[in-house]
Amino acid sequence: MIDTNLQTNKKLRNALEAFSFTGPSAIILFCVMLLPLILVVVYSFFQNMVVENSPFVGFSNYMRFFTDPDIFKMVRFTIVFTIGSVFLHLAVGLLLAVKLNTNINRFALSIFRGIFILPWVFTAAVVAVAWQLILLPQGILNSMFSVIIGQRVLVNWLGKPLIAMGTLIVVNAWRGYPFCMTSFLAGLQSIPESLYEAAQIDGAGRSQLFFRITLPQLRPVILSVVLLDAIWTLNLFPLIWLLTGGGPLSATDTIATFTYRYAFVDYQFGLASAAATIGLLVTMVFTVFYVRKQKVD
Amino acid sequence: MKHFISRRVLLVLLAIALIASPLMAQGQKEDESSVTTLRFLQWWATEGRVEESLEGLIAEFEAENPEYEVELVSLPFGETKTQIVTNHAAGTIADVVGLNPPWTREFYDLGILEPLDDYMANDPNFNKSDYFGASMAPINGKTYLAPYNTLSFFLYYNVDMFEAAGLDAPESWDDIIMAAKKLTDINKNKYGFSLSMSESAAGNGSILSLYPLLYAANGRTLVDGRYSVQTDEMVAAMNLLRTMSENGSIMPGTTTKTEPMVYEEFSLGNIGMMISNDGHVATLAQSAPDLNYGIMPIPTIDGSGKAELRHHGWDMGMPAKGKNKDGAWKFISFLHQKDNMERAGLEMMKNPSMYGIDAPEGASEKIVEVKGYFEEYAMVEELMEMPSASACWTELTKAGMQIVDGSKTVDEALAECQKAWDRILGQ
């Protein structure tokens, strides 16, 4: 009897001890992360939570979201932008990582690493202002083309729907490749040198070394980076808002700019919450893949 | 053992200190509790001279009313609007807020604003009839704005460029088209006209350029109880932009440039004409003191009759969820005393919204000129009473973009905009 009590007490003490360690973090996580998410989902079922006594409207905000006249443009750009950005991040990141993983002078190598990582260092606001100055019709890029061609070039890089879509992908690729590059570089440095040596003894060329050893060895890193990058790109807001505001003519709208516009231009917070919930669901699909992949690894 | 005791003593002392410090702080707080802090959220003080002026006035208010202190919270123009809405939702809104008339109806619909009629009626120092009427228009019979500075939209023109081209100030829209064409020299980066039609800015194209043109043509958007863009005057305004665009007289980048960028190009002497509010008289005095420019009401379409001005204001309001409403009104009332308004007008280089205040001695020639226009021309403010105003003017900006870049005809773009307005307004 005494033994059972002692055991129960010990179990209780262990549980309390475990809770005392994890409890504060769990409470903070719940308040800071989970509670706002739950509230956004709840708000999406009310007309406009900012207004007092806002009525419950069921799925009406979701219906309004899916029947928005600009939704097709938003979905189109979100897909194109995410695929384009992730592809360019991957390609540029991999290329530069391979180039930086060579045995050249260590001092020169650290300088190049510093330079290549620069776009990642600046905040989105700085990047947006800098690129605006570059891309304006009277900006640096057109001036360069004017000098090369010998006549005045006045392309409005952010002012025409199709051109603006392409331009935003390039700007985002510039801003985002350093993350991929550093991840790939870490992955490359963990590939055993003996694999390359063995392959070279077997007569493998440079391209065979890359496609048969480097890429397969990097695959786990590439998959993780692609999933993370897709999640971040889907949710990207400040760069797009500051450069184009989702325009021209909603051509560069993503679910993030849509949500912001509903909330702070139209003041439809119920509708904004519905859009945010849809965004959350889409992001969760990628998150599930990512978490699964991490478990497998 | 000795060591153990000293640690215990230390712990006890620490515990006493921990318990005593909040109590001491509480005592200190009780001493200070007689002073109430009023928070004034606005964008005005992002302009250097305005900040100095406000700080001086606040110091005097605090000296006269020792029970209050005023905290000046300054944010950029667009950010101020967003913060007012989010702070209202969070219940942390300031006691006094700076307001722009087009925000009023939207804030009213969200329940953000407190009606000011009772405060105005019970204040012997405040007389509604002392103020320009444009900001005092009631919404459902109640007043929500206390007008402070009045601004309007004018045609700015570069006098040196006009003189070099042998041109006089335009008297009709045909004159504007002709002058814009003559002033344009692409190789020298000189353009006759520039405007902002960007969707990214808080206050974008249509309210900066299209509404001023519409009112200059004596047009309205509220016609027979329905908001409409398919009016003769709006079509004429869009045709003016289309013609200048086709002539190559508008500086490229209309769809991406924000208002400050247009202003910057004008201050550099690269633009012959722009439409902007007279608030830029003060900024040009600082950033481009040598720029030889003129400011005039936008002419009517054919130069006959009298144009009207699009009103713009720096006004004040009181949030419904404000915690110190009496103090807030006391502060608003202090700023609205005639001598304080006169002083602020001179220091801020703005025209106060009060009748009977002459342009102050020492005011710039342009301010005096603008003051004269306010007395001579009628000012129009429709957006103040328009529901979902910002969503609607953004749609009008999109129509303007399509017309300037030639992707739609004037009729097509306005029909599409009208459809969007009908959907947004449920009319």
Side-chain angles (χ1 to χ4, degrees):
Chain A
M1 187 67 178
I2 293 167
D3 275 0
T4 319
N5 277 344
L6 276 173
Q7 273 182 348
T8 314
N9 280 344
K10 200 179 173 189
K11 273 184 183 172
L12 189 69
R13 212 170 51 228
N14 282 345
L16 278 173
E17 197 175 289
F19 180 75
S20 68
F21 284 116
T22 57
S25 306
I27 291 167
I28 290 171
L29 272 177
F30 176 78
C31 293
V32 178
M33 308 286 283
L34 206 56
L35 189 62
L37 287 181
I38 294 168
L39 285 176
V40 166
V41 177
V42 172
Y43 290 167
S44 69
F45 295 105
F46 288 84
Q47 196 175 60
N48 198 346
M49 286 304 286
V50 176
V51 181
E52 273 177 31
N53 304 320
S54 180
F56 179 81
V57 292
F59 285 92
S60 135
N61 285 323
Y62 291 90
M63 291 301 289
R64 284 179 64 195
F65 172 79
F66 285 115
T67 53
D68 190 298
D70 288 328
I71 193 161
F72 170 71
K73 285 182 191 173
M74 182 272 281
V75 173
R76 181 187 64 184
F77 181 67
T78 305
I79 293 170
V80 171
F81 182 67
T82 307
I83 293 174
S85 295
V86 172
F87 175 76
L88 284 177
H89 286 161
L90 201 70
V92 178
L94 194 56
L95 179 75
L96 292 179
V98 169
K99 289 288 167 200
L100 286 177
N101 195 38
T102 47
N103 289 323
I104 59 166
N105 179 292
R106 288 181 71 83
F107 178 68
L109 200 61
S110 58
I111 286 178
F112 280 121
R113 279 181 188 177
I115 291 170
F116 288 147
I117 213 162
L118 269 181
W120 208 22
V121 175
F122 300 117
T123 61
V126 174
V127 171
V129 171
W131 278 97
Q132 244 174 6
L133 294 174
I134 293 168
L135 297 168
L136 275 175
Q138 294 81 24
I140 299 161
L141 189 63
N142 282 343
S143 298
M144 271 170 52
F145 284 138
S146 301
V147 171
I148 294 165
I149 293 171
Q151 67 181 62
R152 200 159 169 78
V153 177
L154 288 166
V155 179
N156 196 354
W157 296 99
L158 296 169
K160 303 268 181 194
L162 268 177
I163 302 175
M165 286 165 72
T167 307
L168 264 186
I169 292 171
V170 172
V171 173
N172 189 44
W174 178 84
R175 169 141 165 82
Y177 80 80
F179 168 71
C180 295
M181 185 190 77
T182 39
S183 304
F184 295 152
L185 192 56
L188 284 172
Q189 284 168 352
S190 66
I191 300 173
E193 196 59 34
S194 55
L195 288 179
Y196 290 106
E197 286 167 2
Q200 277 169 330
I201 290 166
D202 290 343
R206 282 169 73 94
S207 60
Q208 278 175 313
L209 287 180
F210 181 76
F211 287 107
R212 298 285 171 86
I213 294 176
T214 308
L215 269 188
Q217 289 292 316
L218 269 185
R219 212 177 68 164
V221 183
I222 292 173
L223 271 175
S224 296
V225 166
V226 164
L227 286 169
L228 270 182
D229 197 30
I231 292 168
W232 290 339
T233 309
L234 270 173
N235 290 311
L236 192 77
F237 172 73
L239 192 67
I240 298 176
W241 190 255
L242 291 169
L243 273 175
T244 63
L249 305 169
S250 305
T252 59
D253 258 329
T254 62
I255 199 149
T257 60
F258 239 53
T259 307
Y260 185 86
R261 187 173 296 113
Y262 283 145
F264 295 109
V265 176
D266 302 344
Y267 298 117
Q268 300 289 325
F269 287 88
L271 193 52
S273 302
T277 306
I278 302 285
L280 176 72
L281 291 174
V282 175
T283 310
M284 274 175 71
V285 173
F286 285 90
T287 311
V288 167
F289 278 119
Y290 178 73
V291 172
R292 272 191 181 177
K293 205 212 142 285
Q294 295 301 99
K295 270 186 183 171
V296 171
D297 291 345
Chain B
M1 177 62 88
K2 199 180 169 186
H3 179 68
F4 174 72
I5 290 168
S6 66
R7 267 179 72 183
R8 275 183 69 180
V9 169
L10 197 69
L11 281 171
V12 169
L13 285 174
L14 260 172
I16 292 170
L18 279 170
I19 295 163
S21 55
L23 292 174
M24 283 160 75
Q26 183 65 32
Q28 207 176 7
K29 204 179 171 186
E30 272 166 18
D31 290 342
E32 289 171 0
S33 64
S34 55
V35 178
T36 306
T37 302
L38 302 171
R39 285 194 304 131
F40 178 23
L41 174 65
Q42 37 64 53
W43 70 96
W44 312 351
T46 50
E47 213 177 284
R49 67 172 77 231
V50 176
E51 186 182 17
E52 274 175 41
S53 177
L54 277 176
E55 279 173 352
L57 287 162
I58 286 169
E60 281 181 26
F61 172 77
E62 288 172 343
E64 270 182 35
N65 303 277
E67 70 274 29
Y68 293 112
E69 63 176 18
V70 179
E71 186 190 338
L72 202 58
V73 185
S74 309
L75 292 170
F77 177 73
E79 191 64 20
T80 305
K81 189 184 181 192
T82 308
Q83 277 299 314
I84 290 172
V85 177
T86 47
N87 290 353
H88 166 77
T92 56
I93 198 158
D95 301 288
V96 183
V97 289
L99 290 176
N100 184 226
W103 304 350
T104 320
R105 177 58 194 259
E106 289 175 316
F107 285 0
Y108 164 82
D109 287 336
L110 294 172
I112 294 177
L113 297 175
E114 175 85 0
L116 301 177
D117 304 82
D118 289 345
Y119 293 95
M120 289 174 174
N122 296 328
D123 185 342
N125 295 322
F126 198 96
N127 189 351
K128 271 186 172 183
S129 60
D130 287 344
Y131 298 89
F132 296 158
S135 296
M136 299 289 248
I139 298 174
N140 284 339
K142 290 188 174 165
T143 312
Y144 292 89
L145 292 190
Y148 194 61
N149 285 326
T150 284
L151 300 100
S152 266
F153 282 78
F154 293 96
L155 183 72
Y156 284 66
Y157 61 100
N158 185 314
V159 173
D160 286 342
M161 282 175 77
F162 268 70
E163 281 177 1
L167 292 163
D168 292 323
E171 290 176 3
S172 68
W173 290 11
D174 281 341
D175 286 354
I176 293 177
I177 292 168
M178 191 262 293
K181 197 173 178 183
K182 209 165 178 188
L183 294 171
T184 300
D185 185 345
I186 297 173
N187 293 323
K188 290 181 181 167
N189 195 35
K190 304 280 180 199
Y191 289 87
F193 198 86
S194 184
L195 74 161
S196 159
M197 281 286 172
S198 164
E199 284 166 78
S200 63
N204 51 46
S206 55
I207 57 168
L208 302 171
S209 305
L210 282 168
Y211 274 90
L213 284 168
L214 177 74
Y215 298 149
N218 305 120
R220 293 288 186 277
T221 51
L222 186 60
V223 183
D224 299 329
R226 179 172 182 261
Y227 284 99
S228 174
V229 292
Q230 291 173 304
T231 61
D232 292 345
E233 296 84 4
M234 186 65 88
V235 170
M238 291 293 196
N239 275 327
L240 172 72
L241 299 185
R242 165 58 67 85
T243 309
M244 285 196 289
S245 177
E246 283 172 350
N247 290 347
S249 322
I250 298 181
M251 183 175 251
T254 302
T255 51
T256 41
K257 280 184 176 160
T258 56
E259 190 195 14
M261 290 176 185
V262 174
Y263 157 81
E264 188 69 22
E265 290 285 0
F266 184 80
S267 68
L268 291 170
N270 292 333
I271 300 170
M273 289 173 281
M274 70 167 183
I275 296 169
S276 197
N277 70 67
D278 57 278
H280 283 142
V281 169
T283 31
L284 280 170
Q286 266 187 328
S287 65
D290 299 327
L291 185 75
N292 186 13
Y293 73 98
I295 177 167
M296 59 178 281
I298 302 166
T300 55
I301 297 174
D302 61 3
S304 67
K306 196 97 176 160
E308 291 169 301
L309 305 174
R310 204 216 121 198
H311 168 262
H312 175 55
W314 284 15
D315 304 318
M316 301 176 82
M318 238 161 72
K321 286 187 183 171
K323 292 180 178 66
N324 304 296
K325 289 181 190 167
D326 288 335
W329 179 258
K330 212 168 193 175
F331 178 59
I332 293 173
S333 175
F334 174 83
L335 290 185
H336 280 77
Q337 285 172 18
K338 195 176 177 184
D339 52 343
N340 285 339
M341 287 200 87
E342 274 173 341
R343 174 183 150 188
L346 178 63
E347 289 174 350
M348 296 179 185
M349 282 186 83
K350 304 276 184 294
N351 277 301
S353 302
M354 196 181 236
Y355 288 115
I357 294 183
D358 293 328
E361 203 176 316
S364 78
E365 193 187 302
K366 297 271 185 320
I367 292 288
V368 178
E369 204 179 331
V370 167
K371 179 82 186 167
Y373 293 140
F374 287 159
E375 281 158 19
E376 195 185 336
Y377 289 81
M379 283 183 275
V380 186
E381 177 55 88
E382 283 189 295
L383 290 165
M384 187 175 156
E385 294 166 72
M386 184 183 195
S388 304
S390 43
C392 288
W393 82 57
T394 302
E395 290 299 328
L396 190 57
T397 297
K398 287 183 187 174
M401 288 167 83
Q402 290 168 313
I403 286 162
V404 169
D405 75 10
S407 59
K408 287 228 160 83
T409 66
V410 170
D411 288 341
E412 284 169 352
L414 287 180
E416 201 171 280
C417 179
Q418 186 64 54
K419 210 170 145 191
W421 276 31
D422 291 346
R423 175 175 48 81
I424 294 165
L425 299 168
Q427 60 179 14

